[in-house]
Amino acid sequence: MTAMSTATHSAPVLTATPRRRRPRRSWIHTVIGIVLVAIMLFPVYWMLNASLAPAGNSLNTQWLPLDPDFSGYSRAIADQGQNLVTSVIVAVGACLLSIVIAAPCAYALAQFRIKGTAALLFLVLISQMIPGIVIANALYTVYTPLGLINSIPGLILADASQGIPFAILIMRAYLETFPTSIVEAARVDGCGHVRAFWSIVLPVSKNSLITAGIFSFLFAWSDFLMALTLTTGETIRPVTLGLYTYIGTNDTDWSAVMSTAVLSSLPAVILMIVAQKYVAAGATGGAVK
């Protein structure tokens, strides 16, 4: 009896291992994702395809550029080269001006105990909701006596007015999580507020700086309304305005239009590819405390 009970208790217990269920619908999700990406990227492909087509109506463009024609690019470079340079100067200037103004403002709103901080942030948020045509008309009234119409500094100031509020909101969200003990240690070592901000806060906040700068650059690079309102001649003309010189009432050279669109898209695409990791880190830097 004892031997039987011992053998019974010592017998191994066999358990069935559960089989892993493979996701049956994973391929369906993959196909749906590919279709959605293809739909979103189709305008980009058609822009490239139409830019390689001979001059004429875009409706006659083939689905594949089997016989590419680069005459549209040569015309776009010849006609829009100066406009591209103007857009680069205005966008870079607006980006730098936005960062110079937004960085100390965001740091002060995030770290210093200032009365009315909530009201200031509310005003900054409200400024993002003002229609651009209202700001453009107001700036035109101010620019006329100052002689800033048809000038690069005028366009830089106008485009920076759109990038500064957004840069403040982006950078403040990150600087709220900045450890104050680092700044306090620098203050003990003899650093002033400006030195601590310049030597410690800014280098550590590189991701948020790059993120705010890139968005400010893109706002200025794609601006059309400010340029249309604040420029009346052909000497100072961003590429967003130069693009419409090819569009006529009865005849439109779509090859030159699409070639100019491709050339104007390259700086933004290259910038986003190079700074992608900084943008991802800076955009989510203040999300979790």
Side-chain angles (χ1 to χ4, degrees):
M1 186 69 180
T2 304
M4 293 179 61
S5 61
T6 303
T8 303
H9 287 292
S10 62
V13 180
L14 299 178
T15 58
T17 58
R19 296 181 179 179
R20 294 182 179 179
R21 295 182 179 179
R22 296 181 179 180
R24 298 179 179 178
R25 297 184 179 180
S26 60
W27 64 274
I28 299 178
H29 298 161
T30 303
V31 171
I32 293 175
I34 293 174
V35 171
L36 293 177
V37 171
I39 293 174
M40 290 185 290
L41 293 181
F42 179 77
V44 179
Y45 166 74
W46 193 254
M47 179 180 65
L48 292 171
N49 186 27
S51 67
L52 297 174
N57 193 345
S58 63
L59 296 178
N60 299 327
T61 304
Q62 299 178 357
W63 286 96
L64 295 176
L66 300 178
D67 188 15
D69 184 6
F70 295 92
S71 60
Y73 285 95
S74 60
R75 181 179 177 184
I77 294 174
D79 297 343
Q80 305 296 332
Q82 182 61 39
N83 296 335
L84 285 170
V85 173
T86 301
S87 293
V88 170
I89 296 174
V90 171
V92 172
C95 172
L96 295 177
L97 182 60
S98 299
I99 293 300
V100 168
I101 296 177
C105 291
Y107 178 71
L109 292 174
Q111 296 293 331
F112 297 160
R113 295 181 180 178
I114 303 175
K115 293 183 178 180
T117 301
L120 289 174
L121 290 175
F122 182 73
L123 291 176
V124 171
L125 186 61
I126 288 296
S127 66
Q128 293 287 94
M129 302 178 184
I130 300 177
I133 188 61
V134 176
I135 300 176
N137 289 332
L139 290 177
Y140 185 86
T141 304
V142 176
Y143 278 12
T144 301
L146 296 177
L148 292 177
I149 301 294
N150 295 321
S151 66
I152 290 181
L155 291 178
I156 291 175
L157 290 174
D159 291 334
S161 66
Q162 297 178 340
I164 289 173
F166 185 81
I168 290 176
L169 295 175
I170 286 288
M171 296 188 65
R172 181 184 176 273
Y174 175 81
L175 292 174
E176 276 189 327
T177 63
F178 191 85
T180 58
S181 58
I182 300 178
V183 180
E184 292 174 356
R187 294 280 294 162
V188 171
D189 291 338
C191 291
H193 288 292
V194 177
R195 178 66 181 279
F197 174 73
W198 178 263
S199 301
I200 298 175
V201 177
L202 287 183
V204 178
S205 308
K206 177 179 63 176
N207 292 334
S208 63
L209 280 172
I210 295 176
T211 302
I214 286 177
F215 279 100
S216 299
F217 179 90
L218 295 178
F219 288 157
W221 182 260
S222 60
D223 172 66
F224 175 78
L225 185 59
M226 294 292 182
L228 180 65
T229 306
L230 302 177
T231 58
T232 57
E234 298 182 358
T235 55
I236 303 297
R237 174 182 287 178
V239 71
T240 50
L241 290 183
L243 187 66
Y244 285 87
T245 59
Y246 298 123
I247 301 177
T249 305
N250 299 320
D251 186 19
T252 300
D253 188 358
W254 286 106
S255 177
V257 170
M258 294 302 179
S259 299
T260 305
V262 172
L263 293 176
S264 62
S265 301
L266 287 179
V269 172
I270 294 173
L271 186 63
M272 290 300 297
I273 292 175
V274 172
Q276 182 179 6
K277 61 179 181 179
Y278 300 105
V279 173
T284 59
V288 181
K289 293 186 179 180

